[in-house]
Amino acid sequence: MQIISDERINEFKVFLEKHDFFYVIGHKDPDGDAIFSCLGMKELLAAQNLECQLLSAGPFKRPEIRSKAKFFSNQMTFLSEPERKKAALIILDCSEFSRLGEIDGDLSELDTFIIDHHKTASVTGSCIIDPTAPATACLVQQIYEKTIGTMTKQVAEYLFFALSTDTGYFRFLNTDSAEVFRQAARLVEAGANPRTIYDEMTGGKPYATRKLLGIMLDRVERRYGNKLAITYETMEDTKQWGQEGRDSDALYSMLLSVDGIEAVLFVRQDTELTCTCGFRSRDKIDVSAIAAKFGGGGHKNAAGLSIDGKIPDVLEKICAEFKKIL
């Protein structure tokens, strides 16, 4: 993982100095990194006596983030025209406005700073983008330490949780991750408790998610020499079993542990006309490249997208791309 240069940190400091109020937002259908990086950024702003509002289009279906929904809103605080001119937008764990979801208010034309770690991020202007970082929280931590200094226990807990969720509790890291562990050590020194955070991440799953997981596993098909595993979730499944959330991480983990499987494709029918797709892979397969062909993005080994269509057609379109590389 690279270290953010002092020049980039200073750009962010100047950005903060230019504004009095900040909207802080992550991507829709948020995960732990998006939510807890936003919470960490809120603490950073508060340490400088700067006001902000946390925004999210939700939904907060993941059990590990559900308790944090109360800190976020999908309705922007109203600002007068003079106040709006001094306001700004900070986008975390996302680089595309289309992935922010539906927010009641106008995010356009606000001075914007983007902090993201996704490989497919393509941004010009004010930003700190680093695909070598395993989580946006790693970037927020560096900014906090170089802007504020020593972290509070609360900030350390937020950022350790964010880092842990995006790295599969460090399972997805490789030999180039020494700096990540050094940062994690500083979070522990500041008060983050690895054991309790792991329990918060992995516990509290609703019974319905176990049933839904069973359905997903029962539907799994393998293709292309058993290298690709595919499964799907219908709107009926969501209505019956998915209202309280789902456990996609467990699904991906279980399928990637099967001998010979190199990638996993999951498709969920969200509406009659749209689907959400999730991708995971082992080291060799770059699923972000496949997702990008359909307007999505992510990392080499974890990506996603939203697409028009119904499950059978969407599966065949995306499988055709996997066929080219498997």
Side-chain angles (χ1 to χ4, degrees):
M1 183 182 71
Q2 299 175 1
I3 302 297
I4 303 173
S5 69
D6 289 342
E7 180 183 3
R8 305 310 300 276
I9 296 292
N10 287 335
E11 288 177 11
F12 184 70
K13 289 180 179 179
V14 170
F15 175 81
L16 296 185
E17 291 169 358
K18 290 164 54 180
H19 304 287
D20 295 334
F21 183 87
F22 300 85
Y23 296 106
V24 179
I25 190 171
H27 55 78
K28 63 182 177 180
D29 195 12
D31 57 10
D33 191 24
I35 291 303
F36 285 90
S37 289
C38 285
L39 288 166
M41 180 57 64
K42 180 178 183 295
E43 294 296 318
L44 184 154
L45 296 172
Q48 299 193 77
N49 297 314
L50 294 171
E51 292 186 65
C52 76
Q53 181 190 22
L54 298 182
L55 297 172
S56 177
F60 286 73
K61 285 192 173 184
R62 299 170 187 252
E64 66 270 22
I65 65 170
R66 193 172 296 144
S67 66
K68 305 307 177 186
K70 61 187 177 183
F71 297 112
F72 292 78
S73 174
N74 63 0
Q75 296 182 326
M76 295 173 64
T77 295
F78 174 78
L79 299 178
S80 66
E81 192 59 33
E83 290 172 332
R84 186 176 171 87
K85 288 181 179 179
K86 294 292 290 181
L89 176 66
I90 299 175
I91 300 176
L92 296 165
D93 202 38
C94 177
S95 301
E96 303 84 20
F97 273 80
S98 61
R99 291 196 63 221
L100 299 180
E102 296 295 325
I103 297 294
D104 185 3
D106 184 11
L107 293 172
S108 66
E109 299 182 10
L110 288 168
D111 193 11
T112 301
F113 201 102
I114 294 173
I115 302 172
D116 191 16
H117 74 124
H118 290 96
K119 180 180 178 182
T120 52
S122 178
V123 180
T124 57
S126 301
C127 65
I128 293 176
I129 307 290
D130 181 12
T132 71
T136 295
C138 291
L139 306 178
V140 175
Q141 179 179 349
Q142 290 184 53
I143 296 168
Y144 190 100
E145 290 173 332
K146 292 184 178 181
T147 302
I148 307 301
T150 303
M151 286 170 288
T152 65
K153 182 174 183 289
Q154 182 69 85
V155 173
E157 289 175 339
Y158 285 156
L159 297 182
F160 193 95
F161 199 106
L163 172 62
S164 298
T165 55
D166 243 30
T167 61
Y169 211 77
F170 306 100
R171 290 179 295 120
F172 305 146
L173 298 179
N174 294 312
T175 55
D176 58 353
S177 303
E179 183 57 38
V180 180
F181 282 99
R182 281 190 281 269
Q183 283 197 200
R186 296 199 296 274
L187 295 175
V188 174
E189 288 172 349
N193 187 320
R195 180 173 181 173
T196 58
I197 288 174
Y198 180 80
D199 288 342
E200 290 176 26
M201 282 176 54
T202 58
K205 299 290 192 293
Y207 171 75
T209 65
R210 308 296 91 183
K211 297 288 288 186
L212 184 57
L213 181 59
I215 293 170
M216 302 298 99
L217 291 171
D218 189 52
R219 287 194 182 130
V220 172
E221 297 178 21
R222 292 184 293 175
R223 297 189 180 184
Y224 315 128
N226 294 335
K227 295 179 181 179
L228 175 67
I230 63 173
T231 189
Y232 60 90
E233 178 184 327
T234 67
M235 292 176 66
E236 290 74 22
D237 297 329
T238 305
K239 182 177 180 180
Q240 184 173 6
W241 302 110
Q243 298 298 317
E244 295 184 83
R246 53 185 52 82
D247 197 357
S248 301
D249 291 339
L251 175 68
Y252 295 131
S253 179
M254 293 176 74
L255 292 178
L256 285 175
S257 70
V258 175
D259 185 34
I261 289 181
E262 296 183 13
V264 176
L265 166 61
F266 167 69
V267 178
R268 181 177 70 246
Q269 191 81 50
D270 288 324
T271 71
E272 292 290 346
L273 300 175
T274 62
C275 291
T276 294
C277 305
F279 307 79
R280 294 294 186 276
S281 69
R282 295 183 181 278
D283 288 339
K284 295 180 181 179
I285 307 298
D286 185 353
V287 291
S288 70
I290 294 177
K293 292 184 178 182
F294 299 93
H299 312 286
K300 177 182 178 182
N301 302 122
L305 61 89
S306 296
I307 186 172
D308 293 339
K310 293 184 178 292
I311 288 173
D313 293 335
V314 170
L315 279 173
E316 293 311 311
K317 285 180 184 178
I318 297 176
C319 282
E321 295 298 323
F322 273 106
K323 186 177 181 179
K324 296 175 183 177
I325 60 175
L326 290 174

